[in-house]
């Protein structure tokens, strides 16, 4: 069963990618979609068997490489953490495959697209089922390759090519840190096997690591280097710049890669390596700070974006920040709970946005939309459900609400409690989370109102031909909507409450509200009531402000944007990160290259080397050539001068003697 889950999509990708001309486009779609659906069904069975029934196990498939004491095997690790990721990856991937039948119906290269989707699915499954750091790194690089291919799928479009390269290069920065972290793990522990490494971590025998003549706390250095990799893959602050541009790929790619799978790989990495981070408090504090800063940054930028997909992309970036600062505070089960619920409602929002784009003939600018909820009623309802789940609408104390209410509010409450217990950046994370929750509500409802309500602001021809998406695209939305509504309430107990201790089974710490800690929790007291109601209060405030600006005063935001101003420009230009990076890195690299080329290579090396020697010889040759006139009397005159000179020398010599 595990073999089908992991390698079924790979086999389908090979067949669709290499033999699509022989079998045809429709067969390629059937094979890849069928393999992914089979993987999703098998993953559901494994989830019940492993996470619910507690039958965790590891399959050793083959020895991968053995050089000295460096012995690596290819294993499939099935514990509760990997089982959760299997369900997330395969279920979203299967729905995206089905959805793509409608969205990509007119694309002539559908076989290649479906092959890329299945290849990506295999790489992600390899990552989450890895039993050692090297196998995880293989999957890590595999999703990087597949994301490059999918983002740049429309390779004749320059912006898509640029976005793919930007994503690939930015992730190389993070991957370099991850590679150093993996090397450091082997240097310190002599193995890359998860269980062996984590067992030695618990022994407390590892102290320092010497690097470049300097001594570092080994676990702190390893944890930091691994987190650098997580920052790149999960688009955290400083390495986030690739994620919004990645929206240049087809919309199903955004739902698969940038909502539920690749961008969550960094969160999975930190949670998988929690024994290391538990003993690396300084790095954990850095993770908390970076995660909280990312949540706030992305939420502010989302306020001023007009591309419907980019708004959701920044929302993804912000929600990933929640997951990271939760992990940094030691709330690993809460981080995974939010990852789990987020997969459903964010994939729903991305695919809903794709349905809008499909219905409006590829229009993505919300300024050219409005008043279409009657033309796309199902899409409108699905987007409403996704927005309610994202903004965490629910009733505190009664435990009633959408998926995001249970997972996000759990993180916010526990951030406050961590601050009360003196955890570094706990209060900072709580305050930022509350502010980001209010901003999330505002820009999410702004998207709904600008897209579906008010007057239509686009081309009349587009409005006349606007239509609801076909059922092959609607059915995945309906299924994701079920998860967006019920996933939080159904799985809260298993992930973060009474059943967490048994559910995680040692793959993660169960959290402060697990069995035995339920009620007052591990803190010994409840969060204050105002903390419980703060998230829903700012959510309601964000909704009211969005309604007032974009429904009651419909034209006011456009006038504010037209006037510009420093704050609007700052947010619309994404805190000027692209401009700063272009000045420092792009222009800096180009200037350094020009210096080495024009000065170092051409003037110094070539000037004093080949060009200098060659130039001297050529100049001397030109002057000597002038002596070769070709006239006999010139040569006779030179001979006479020579004879005369020789005679003078002989006479002078004889006189001297």
């Amino acid at each position: 069963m595990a073999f089908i889950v992991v390698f079924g999509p790979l086999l389908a990708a090979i067949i669709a990618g290499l033999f699509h001309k022989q079998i045809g486009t429709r067969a390629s779609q059937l094979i890849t979609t069928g393999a992914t659906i089979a993987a999703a069904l098998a993953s559901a069975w494994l989830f019940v068997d492993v996470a619910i029934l507690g039958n965790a196990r590891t399959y050793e498939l083959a020895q991968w490489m053995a050089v000295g004491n460096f012995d690596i095997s290819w294993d499939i690790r099935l514990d509760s953490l990997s089982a959760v990721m299997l369900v997330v990856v395969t279920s979203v991937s299967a729905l995206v495959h089905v959805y793509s039948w409608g969205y990509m119906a007119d694309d002539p290269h559908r076989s290649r697209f479906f092959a890329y989707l299945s290849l990506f699915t295999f790489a992600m499954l390899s990552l989450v089922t890895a039993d050692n750091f090297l196998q995880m790194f293989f999957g890590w690089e595999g999703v990087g390759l597949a994301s490059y291919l999918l983002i740049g799928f429309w390779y004749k479009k320059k912006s898509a090519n640029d976005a793919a390269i930007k994503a690939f290069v930015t992730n190389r920065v993070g991957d370099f840190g991850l590679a150093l972290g993996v090397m450091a793990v082997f240097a310190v522990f002599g193995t890359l096997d998860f269980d062996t490494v984590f067992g030695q971590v618990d022994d407390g025998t590892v102290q320092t690591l010497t690097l470049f003549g300097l001594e570092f706390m080994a676990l702190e250095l390893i944890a930091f280097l691994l987190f650098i990799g997580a920052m790149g893959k999960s688009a955290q602050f400083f390495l986030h710049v690739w994620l919004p541009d990645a929206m240049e790929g087809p919309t199903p790619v955004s739902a698969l890669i940038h909502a539920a799978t690749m961008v969550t790989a960094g969160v999975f990495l930190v949670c998988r390596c929690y024994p290391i981070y538990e003993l690396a408090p300084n790095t954990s504090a850095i993770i908390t700070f970076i995660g909280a800063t990312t949540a706030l940054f992305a939420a502010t930028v989302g306020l001023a974006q007009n591309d419907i997909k980019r708004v959701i992309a920044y929302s993804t970036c912000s929600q990933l920040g929640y997951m990271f600062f939760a992990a940094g505070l030691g709330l690993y089960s809460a981080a995974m709970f939010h990852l789990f619920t987020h997969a459903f409602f964010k994939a729903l929002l991305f695919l809903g946005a794709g349905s809008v784009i499909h219905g409006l003939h590829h229009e993505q600018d919300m300024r050219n939309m409005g008043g279409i909820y009657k033309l796309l009623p199902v899409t409108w309802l699905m987007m409403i459900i996704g927005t309610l789940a994202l903004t965490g609408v629910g009733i505190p104390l009664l435990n009633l609400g959408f998926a995001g209410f249970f997972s996000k509010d759990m993180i916010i409450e526990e951030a406050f409690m961590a601050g009360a217990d003196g955890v570094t950046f706990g209060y900072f994370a709580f305050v930022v989370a509350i502010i980001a929750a209010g901003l999330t509500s505002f820009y999410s409802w702004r998207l709904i109102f600008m897209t579906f309500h008010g007057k239509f602001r686009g081309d009349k021809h587009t409005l006349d031909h606007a239509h609801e998406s076909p059922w092959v695209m609607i059915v995945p939305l309906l299924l994701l909507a079920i998860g967006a509504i019920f996933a939080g309430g159904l799985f809260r107990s298993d992930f973060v409450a009474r059943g967490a201790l048994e559910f995680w089974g040692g793959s993660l710490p169960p959290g402060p509200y697990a069995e035995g800690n339920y009620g007052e929790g591990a803190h010994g007291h409840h969060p204050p009531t105002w903390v419980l109601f703060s998230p829903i209060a700012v959510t309601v405030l964000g909704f009211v402000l969005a309604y007032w600006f974009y429904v009651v005063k419909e034209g006011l935001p456009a006038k504010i944007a037209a006037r510009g101003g420093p704050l609007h420009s700052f947010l619309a230009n994404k805190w000027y990160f692209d401009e700063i990076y272009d000045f420092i890195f792009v222009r800096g690299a180009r200037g350094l290259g020009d210096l080495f080329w024009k000065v170092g290579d051409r003037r110094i090396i070539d000037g004093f080397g080949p060009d200098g020697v060659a130039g001297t010889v050529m100049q001397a040759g030109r002057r000597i050539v002038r002596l070769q006139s070709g006239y006999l009397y010139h040569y006779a005159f030179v001979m006479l001068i020579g004879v005369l000179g020789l005679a003078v020398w002989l006479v002078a010599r004889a006189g001297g003697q």
Side-chain angles (χ1 to χ4, degrees):
M1 191 70 72
F3 187 86
I4 293 173
V5 171
V6 177
F7 293 102
L10 174 62
L11 180 61
I14 293 173
I15 295 173
L18 299 181
F19 304 104
H20 65 275
K21 291 184 179 179
Q22 289 79 11
I23 64 177
T25 300
R26 182 57 60 89
S28 297
Q29 292 178 245
L30 284 170
I31 291 171
T32 52
T33 305
T36 312
I37 292 175
L41 295 175
S43 295
W45 183 87
L46 288 174
F47 177 80
V48 174
D49 185 48
V50 173
I52 305 300
L53 301 180
N55 296 319
R57 54 195 180 275
T58 299
Y59 295 111
E60 182 175 340
L61 301 183
Q63 187 181 58
W64 189 3
M65 60 183 75
V67 181
N69 63 342
F70 185 72
D71 190 352
I72 299 294
S73 60
W74 190 287
D75 301 336
I76 296 180
R77 182 188 184 99
L78 296 176
D79 58 9
S80 296
L81 182 59
S82 59
V84 168
M85 292 300 296
L86 286 178
V87 169
V88 169
V89 173
T90 56
S91 59
V92 174
S93 179
L95 294 176
V96 167
H97 273 75
V98 174
Y99 180 92
S100 299
W101 278 66
Y103 192 88
M104 303 294 290
D106 297 327
D107 195 287
H109 306 292
R110 295 190 300 280
S111 297
R112 178 164 58 89
F113 180 77
F114 278 83
Y116 289 169
L117 286 180
S118 292
L119 177 64
F120 174 87
T121 304
F122 159 72
M124 191 68 198
L125 293 172
S126 298
L127 190 160
V128 301
T129 58
D131 192 42
N132 57 73
F133 282 97
L134 190 62
Q135 184 182 339
M136 183 193 67
F137 189 74
F138 169 84
W140 194 274
E141 293 302 303
V143 295
L145 168 64
S147 68
Y148 169 79
L149 296 173
L150 286 166
I151 294 169
F153 176 75
W154 288 320
Y155 58 87
K156 294 182 180 180
K157 185 180 176 183
K158 185 179 184 301
S159 58
N161 274 328
D162 292 343
I165 293 172
K166 187 176 184 179
F168 194 80
V169 172
T170 305
N171 274 276
R172 296 289 69 71
V173 177
D175 292 357
F176 179 68
L178 178 63
L180 291 178
V182 173
M183 296 174 193
V185 168
F186 185 76
V188 172
F189 299 101
T191 181
L192 296 179
D193 179 73
F194 284 147
D195 289 335
T196 306
V197 170
F198 299 155
Q200 293 185 36
V201 166
D202 291 336
D203 291 342
T205 57
V206 181
Q207 297 297 327
T208 61
L209 180 66
T210 302
L211 184 65
F212 303 123
L214 301 174
E215 281 196 350
F216 298 90
M217 295 297 294
L219 293 181
E220 292 281 6
L221 180 61
I222 290 172
F224 180 75
L225 291 173
L226 294 177
F227 175 61
I228 294 297
M231 283 179 64
K233 200 67 72 182
S234 295
Q236 291 300 282
F237 199 62
F238 296 123
L239 295 180
H240 66 276
V241 292
W242 66 271
L243 181 59
D245 288 5
M247 299 302 107
E248 290 291 339
T251 301
V253 173
S254 303
L256 177 62
I257 296 181
H258 310 124
T261 52
M262 189 180 89
V263 293
T264 61
V267 180
F268 170 80
L269 169 64
V270 173
C271 290
R272 173 62 81 194
C273 299
Y274 85 87
I276 295 176
Y277 287 97
E278 290 277 84
L279 299 177
N282 296 325
T283 301
S284 295
I286 293 174
I287 295 174
T288 303
F289 179 80
I290 292 293
T293 304
T294 303
L296 179 62
F297 156 76
T300 60
V301 175
L303 299 173
Q305 300 303 304
N306 295 309
D307 185 304
I308 187 172
K309 288 172 62 177
R310 286 178 182 257
V311 174
I312 303 174
Y314 277 108
S315 171
T316 299
C317 195
S318 182
Q319 296 305 306
L320 288 167
Y322 277 86
M323 301 175 206
F324 270 105
F325 80 66
L329 294 172
L331 307 170
Y332 305 101
S333 58
M336 286 301 302
F337 187 32
H338 195 46
L339 184 155
F340 179 74
T341 61
H342 176 264
F344 294 104
F345 59 74
K346 191 51 62 67
L348 175 61
L349 286 171
F350 266 120
L351 294 185
S355 182
V356 172
I357 295 168
H358 183 270
L360 295 180
H361 302 280
H362 304 288
E363 178 61 68
Q364 295 185 201
D365 193 331
M366 295 187 299
R367 292 171 296 186
N368 298 326
M369 300 179 187
I372 61 172
Y373 72 96
K374 292 182 180 179
L375 300 175
L376 287 76
V378 179
T379 299
W380 170 75
L381 179 60
M382 296 300 101
M383 292 288 284
I384 290 290
I385 293 173
T387 300
L388 291 170
L390 169 63
T391 56
V393 173
I395 305 175
L397 302 180
L398 296 182
N399 286 327
L400 296 174
F402 290 81
F405 164 74
F406 293 96
S407 58
K408 188 169 70 173
D409 283 25
M410 170 65 73
I411 292 175
I412 293 174
E413 293 165 16
E414 286 306 308
F416 177 85
M417 301 304 288
D421 290 342
V423 178
T424 306
F425 293 123
Y427 280 137
F428 171 74
F430 168 74
V431 173
V432 167
I434 291 295
I435 297 172
L439 297 176
T440 299
S441 177
F442 180 84
Y443 68 67
S444 297
W445 289 108
R446 169 181 179 263
L447 184 151
I448 294 295
F449 296 142
M450 287 186 69
T451 303
F452 294 101
H453 297 271
K455 298 178 181 179
F456 186 77
R457 300 173 295 276
D459 180 71
K460 186 177 183 301
H461 176 77
T462 301
L463 180 62
D464 292 339
H465 292 82
H467 58 85
E468 185 62 271
S469 298
W471 280 104
V472 72
M473 296 172 62
I474 293 298
V475 170
L477 297 181
L478 296 174
L479 295 176
L480 288 170
I482 295 173
I485 296 172
F486 298 110
L490 288 177
F491 291 97
R492 176 182 179 274
S493 176
D494 289 330
F495 275 78
V496 293
R498 290 185 182 276
L501 185 64
E502 182 179 357
F503 178 83
W504 291 113
S507 61
L508 276 185
Y513 289 104
E515 186 176 0
N517 293 327
Y518 194 74
E520 294 184 347
H523 311 286
H525 55 280
H526 290 291
T529 303
W530 69 268
V531 172
L532 300 178
F533 281 90
S534 294
I536 191 63
V538 296
T539 296
V540 172
L541 177 62
F543 169 80
V544 171
L545 289 175
Y547 184 82
W548 191 83
F549 274 105
Y550 292 96
V551 177
V552 177
K553 301 289 185 180
E554 186 176 352
L556 182 60
K559 295 178 181 178
I560 296 174
R563 285 200 302 265
L567 179 59
H568 181 270
S569 298
F570 182 67
L571 298 180
N573 288 285
K574 302 158 287 188
W575 291 24
Y576 293 103
F577 263 100
D578 283 341
E579 289 77 7
I580 294 172
Y581 282 5
D582 180 74
F583 178 78
I584 296 175
F585 298 112
V586 178
R587 296 185 185 181
R590 186 183 294 119
L592 185 63
D594 286 344
L595 176 66
F596 286 144
W597 168 44
K598 295 179 179 179
V599 178
D601 187 32
R602 293 178 61 180
R603 294 185 182 179
I604 298 178
I605 298 176
D606 289 347
F608 291 98
D611 291 348
V613 173
T616 302
V617 172
M618 291 180 66
Q619 290 289 340
R622 290 192 188 99
R623 293 174 181 176
I624 294 174
V625 162
R626 295 176 184 174
L627 299 177
Q628 305 294 327
S629 65
Y631 293 108
L632 182 60
Y633 61 86
H634 284 172
Y635 298 138
F637 179 73
V638 171
M639 292 176 64
L640 180 60
I641 295 297
V643 171
L644 181 61
L646 180 62
V648 170
W649 179 73
L650 291 174
V651 170
R653 183 179 180 187
Q657 291 177 349

